[in-house]
Amino acid sequence: MSEYTLDLKTDTCLNKRYLIQKKLGSGGFGITYEAYDIQEKQKCAIKEFFPRGIAVRLQDGVTLTPVSTSKEALFNHGMERFLEEAEILQRLNDEPAVVSVYDFFQENGTCYFTMEFLDGMTLDKLTKAQGGRLKYRIVADALEKVGNALIRVHKSNIFHRDISPDNIFITYSGNVKLIDFGNAKNLIRNDNEQLSVVLKPGFAPPEQYSKNGKQGTYTDVYALAGTVYYVLTGEKIPDALERCQRDNYRHLDEYGFEPYISDAIDRALMPSYKKRTQTVEEFLEDMHLKPVKGRPVAASFDRPRAENAGRSAERTDSHGKSTFFSYVEIIRGMEAGKRYRLPENTNVIVGRTGSMSQIVIKNDPYISKTHCVLYFDREKRVFYIKDCSTNGTFLEGKRLERGKLYALRSGSRIILGKGDSIIKVGVMNE
């Protein structure tokens, strides 16, 4: 019996909140379910980390375990990358063309994240349902929406790395959603502890075939162009390594498309990333579509209701004009004494990596890449915090519930992880 026949049963309850309804699909790294959120009283989707050939489900019907002790390190590494995908997607919740992640947690020996429930089909299924090819106007509309989402995502220094017709979702209401970011699954370790690449021929560019390949915005450009080519023609571009040896594919003008469309696709599919269209913005312009000059996507942070605001931070006025600013100070850790001015009405991520955080806590192994999110509401003069970590965020001796919003008063001290790092929020006169 295959481990993929051992799906979670209907009405299995996860995290004391989510009731499994049915399986939606499965892949090499996980199973996706339709579920019901008891707390919010709505449908959601749940993705379970279940790597094929590495883990099995025990007879209790819920617990996962590595197939052998030799696979434990591989399983744990994969689970860490899976949670990274959840953290990345949660940061993008403000982007309407990217699927929203509501929660992520560890349970039953594995980990899960919950997403908005999408009612519709992938671009691949839509293409097959339409006889193997899509009309250009449908493709252009989807490309413009996904492309503009990617422009904003790229400005946040995040790359998808797994764009394909399977990972673009079209809802029945006509919305386009980018799903299944590849950051968490493109690189896994083999038994020799080397990084091996999991990718999709016809959509992955040559640089993804090497563990040392330099990747960037142009990596997503190639995959996006390969996706456009496939849904317009019903044919995949030849494998990238094959193209490096002998590049012969049927160009779009041979299918009757306008020369500018064919040329734009050709430039975006250049095997050499140095010769390729460098940004999605350039690609959309070449396709005569409208790129937006977007700001980086901020971390998602739901605005709290006024009645839950708690005590406000002190206001300092001079002749009716506000003259204070909010700040975050590191009071324990490698950079103790360092103070950051906290932007007003803006989400600020505290974590261990500069690529994912605005406030970086260095040399503390218990700090997550995205550990917590801070927000200062100037109008209400209130600080808010949301924990996103593995090892916890603590306030007044109590561990914060992951994903829940808490109000803070000025002067509050926040303990991160095991307590080697502590930060404080406050206000100060200009």
Side-chain angles (χ1 to χ4, degrees):
M1 180 182 291
S2 166
E3 68 265 27
Y4 274 85
T5 63
L6 296 178
D7 309 324
L8 291 174
K9 294 181 179 179
T10 300
D11 291 334
T12 298
C13 187
L14 298 177
N15 206 30
K16 299 180 181 179
R17 175 175 175 178
Y18 306 106
L19 287 177
I20 296 298
Q21 302 296 294
K22 63 180 180 181
K23 184 175 83 169
L24 296 174
S26 61
F29 290 85
I31 305 176
T32 303
Y33 304 91
E34 178 184 324
Y36 182 73
D37 185 342
I38 299 171
Q39 181 173 312
E40 296 295 331
K41 296 181 174 56
Q42 65 181 14
K43 278 184 182 181
C44 65
I46 290 186
K47 192 171 180 180
E48 177 186 42
F49 178 63
F50 196 156
R52 185 180 318 201
I54 296 173
V56 292
R57 180 106 53 202
L58 298 183
Q59 291 185 352
D60 64 3
V62 291
T63 305
L64 292 187
T65 186
V67 294
S68 65
T69 54
S70 65
K71 298 292 185 182
E72 285 182 8
L74 184 58
F75 178 81
N76 291 335
H77 174 79
M79 187 158 59
E80 181 180 346
R81 300 305 297 271
F82 187 87
L83 286 172
E84 285 178 16
E85 181 184 5
E87 291 181 351
I88 288 165
L89 283 171
Q90 194 171 59
R91 287 183 62 193
L92 303 178
N93 278 1
D94 286 342
E95 174 50 59
V98 175
V99 64
S100 294
V101 166
Y102 303 136
D103 190 16
F104 51 95
F105 55 93
Q106 292 179 261
E107 192 174 48
N108 303 325
T110 186
C111 53
Y112 308 83
F113 59 83
T114 64
M115 305 172 285
E116 63 176 314
F117 181 81
L118 300 177
D119 197 10
M121 64 181 69
T122 65
L123 194 60
D124 184 48
K125 288 185 178 179
L126 178 62
T127 302
K128 291 173 180 175
Q130 296 294 319
R133 297 183 186 183
L134 292 180
K135 293 180 179 179
Y136 180 74
R137 61 176 178 79
I138 297 175
V139 177
D141 179 67
L143 173 60
E144 189 169 82
K145 291 175 180 176
V146 170
N148 279 309
L150 279 171
I151 290 170
R152 292 185 285 266
V153 168
H154 287 170
K155 288 181 183 294
S156 298
N157 199 31
I158 297 172
F159 311 123
H160 189 283
R161 302 199 305 171
D162 195 22
I163 295 171
S164 70
D166 282 330
N167 289 336
I168 296 174
F169 199 94
I170 313 296
T171 70
Y172 290 130
S173 60
N175 294 322
V176 178
K177 294 280 186 176
L178 195 55
I179 63 175
D180 209 12
F181 273 54
N183 297 64
K185 66 179 185 301
N186 272 0
L187 297 176
I188 61 170
R189 292 187 300 182
N190 61 26
D191 290 337
N192 295 320
E193 301 300 306
Q194 299 295 316
L195 288 176
S196 58
V197 184
V198 180
L199 37 76
K200 296 173 181 174
F203 305 106
E207 64 265 22
Q208 282 192 290
Y209 283 73
S210 169
K211 63 183 179 181
N212 297 318
K214 185 177 179 181
Q215 299 183 35
T217 56
Y218 44 80
T219 302
D220 284 345
V221 166
Y222 186 103
L224 193 58
T227 296
V228 171
Y229 186 95
Y230 170 77
V231 298
L232 287 176
T233 67
E235 302 289 336
K236 290 182 183 179
I237 291 292
D239 179 276
L241 294 186
E242 178 184 334
R243 293 188 62 216
C244 290
Q245 301 297 321
R246 182 168 152 288
D247 191 14
N248 60 336
Y249 69 93
R250 190 177 173 188
H251 301 278
L252 286 183
D253 55 0
E254 299 176 52
Y255 287 91
F257 291 97
E258 294 285 348
Y260 77 86
I261 296 174
S262 183
D263 291 344
I265 293 294
D266 288 347
R267 283 192 294 271
L269 287 173
M270 291 294 288
S272 170
Y273 75 86
K274 294 181 180 179
K275 298 179 181 179
R276 190 185 312 154
T277 305
Q278 293 294 290
T279 67
V280 177
E281 187 172 352
E282 293 172 25
F283 179 44
L284 292 187
E285 288 174 345
D286 287 347
M287 294 287 289
H288 293 187
L289 299 175
K290 296 179 180 179
V292 296
K293 307 293 183 181
R295 295 172 59 188
V297 179
S300 174
F301 207 107
D302 298 329
R303 292 292 295 272
R305 296 180 180 178
E307 59 266 28
N308 296 327
R311 256 175 70 180
S312 297
E314 296 296 327
R315 180 182 6 183
T316 303
D317 289 337
S318 175
H319 305 293
K321 183 179 180 180
S322 298
T323 59
F324 66 87
F325 65 90
S326 55
Y327 69 89
V328 178
E329 182 180 356
I330 301 175
I331 59 176
R332 179 186 292 178
M334 179 181 176
E335 296 184 293
K338 192 167 185 178
R339 182 175 291 171
Y340 298 83
R341 186 159 180 160
L342 193 64
E344 300 164 1
N345 306 318
T346 301
N347 308 305
V348 174
I349 298 172
V350 180
R352 74 168 186 259
T353 61
S355 62
M356 300 179 70
S357 310
Q358 287 79 47
I359 298 177
V360 180
I361 306 296
K362 297 180 179 179
N363 289 356
D364 186 339
Y366 299 104
I367 301 297
S368 299
K369 289 186 176 181
T370 300
H371 198 92
C372 62
V373 183
L374 295 171
Y375 183 97
F376 179 66
D377 188 324
R378 186 178 181 88
E379 181 181 351
K380 296 186 177 72
R381 277 71 174 178
V382 180
F383 292 92
Y384 296 98
I385 187 170
K386 181 165 65 175
D387 175 53
C388 308
S389 69
T390 300
N391 293 303
T393 301
F394 300 82
L395 184 66
E396 297 178 353
K398 296 181 180 179
R399 180 167 181 165
L400 304 185
E401 183 179 336
R402 191 171 183 172
K404 184 177 179 180
L405 201 62
Y406 293 84
L408 304 174
R409 60 176 61 91
S410 178
S412 293
R413 294 187 172 210
I414 304 156
I415 298 174
L416 308 176
K418 300 296 184 180
D420 293 333
S421 300
I422 301 177
I423 60 176
K424 181 179 75 172
V425 296
V427 293
M428 180 175 291
N429 293 337
E430 291 278 13

